[in-house]
Structures are given as structure tokens and as C-alpha cells.
Amino acid sequence: MRVYVPLTLSGLAEAYKTGELAAGPEGAVVAYAVTPALREWYLSDDIEELEYAALSRAALASLRLLAADPGAVRRRVVVAVDVPDAAASADPDRGLDPAALGEVRVAGPVPLAKAAAVHVDAADAEADVAAAAGALEAADGGDDDAQFVVDGAEDHELLWFATQEIPNLVG
């Protein structure tokens, strides 16, 4: 199963240094994948569209990490990792919670060597990503103008990088 792990550039640098995507306090890596709830929400049978939806969910989670870390470079980062199907589990109690669509937990840590690719914002996205990170709390509170700003970050496609390019991304 392909899962998408949200990070920041500093989180990617740490993963590169340690060789693993560190588990959180619950002993698991939070990621996003094509779950039954995501399939139901997205209403598509096209696996590429569903994978893109999971990647987009991870990009939003990366934006949340940026909002919580004012010192982080304002670029969303998502690492695509292949894990055994049994390694990723969704919380059945949160399956239809819009905030948890596609969210899975992977027993961690996860070796960075399992990564298939890295997706990162281009430098020209930084201003929009910074604005989106700043507007996220208001958007979560229902502010339509703030949601428009958050959606502006989604106008920037994440660029694809091979795992061999990680040293250049974090250097």
C-alpha cells in the first residue's frame, strides 16, 4: 500500500539524518492513503485520482505542521512510502470524520529506504503557503475568506523528486 506521510523540510532533513520517518507519541507514523472512507468521499474508482486525493490530504496535513512551526520553511512536504497493507490501519471511529479522511497510522518508525518519492512545493509557492498556514486556524473556524487563502496553497502542485534527490532538498 502506498501511504503519504506529511512533513516539513526540517522533518525531512531529520528523517534523512536518522534514516527513518519517526513515529509520533502514539508509536505510529501518521499518513494518508486510499481508505474505504476516502473512496466513498471521493466517489471515484480511478486509483490514480484516489492516490492524488490521498496526496492532497497529506499536503493539507503538512500545511498544519507548518502552521504549528513558525520557523519552518514555508513549503509543504509529503513522502510517498510503500508499506505492507497490514502495516497501515485507519481508525474506524474516525472513518467518516472529514478531518480524518484517508488518515492511517503506520507502526513506526518507517525506514526512509521504503520511500518511493518525495513531493515538495516549489520556491515560488512559499508566499501562498505562508499565507495559508497563517489563515488555517480561521479557516477551521468557518471563515470563508481564510478558507479561500488556504485553498490558494492548493493551486500549487507539489513537485515530484526521486529519493536520491533528498540531500539536495534538505541541503
Side-chain angles (χ1 to χ4, degrees):
M1 168 185 285
R2 169 106 0 133
V3 299
Y4 298 91
V5 180
L7 291 175
T8 61
L9 277 174
S10 57
L12 181 62
E14 182 65 20
Y16 179 68
K17 185 173 86 175
T18 64
E20 62 188 29
L21 298 166
E26 302 159 1
V29 174
V30 175
Y32 293 80
V34 178
T35 62
L38 185 73
R39 283 180 186 275
E40 187 175 323
W41 171 74
Y42 199 73
L43 298 174
S44 174
D45 289 330
D46 184 328
I47 191 63
E48 287 184 15
E49 287 181 14
L50 291 165
E51 292 279 346
Y52 185 78
L55 172 66
S56 297
R57 302 293 298 170
L60 178 58
S62 175
L63 185 64
R64 292 187 183 288
L65 293 173
L66 292 172
D69 183 359
V73 175
R74 296 324 210 191
R75 289 185 179 176
R76 299 167 298 163
V77 177
V78 176
V79 179
V81 183
D82 293 320
V83 300
D85 288 353
S89 60
D91 183 345
D93 295 333
R94 294 189 66 202
L96 296 177
D97 177 355
L101 281 170
E103 186 179 279
V104 295
R105 305 252 188 258
V106 180
V110 174
L112 191 57
K114 298 276 187 191
V118 180
H119 303 269
V120 182
D121 275 313
D124 68 355
E126 286 185 29
D128 287 338
V129 170
L136 198 54
E137 187 176 343
D140 287 345
D143 183 323
D144 290 337
D145 291 334
Q147 185 62 52
F148 181 78
V149 173
V150 170
D151 291 344
E154 293 178 13
D155 290 342
H156 296 276
E157 292 288 328
L158 296 178
L159 303 177
W160 181 94
F161 294 91
T163 56
Q164 298 88 330
E165 296 177 274
I166 292 175
N168 295 333
L169 291 170
V170 300

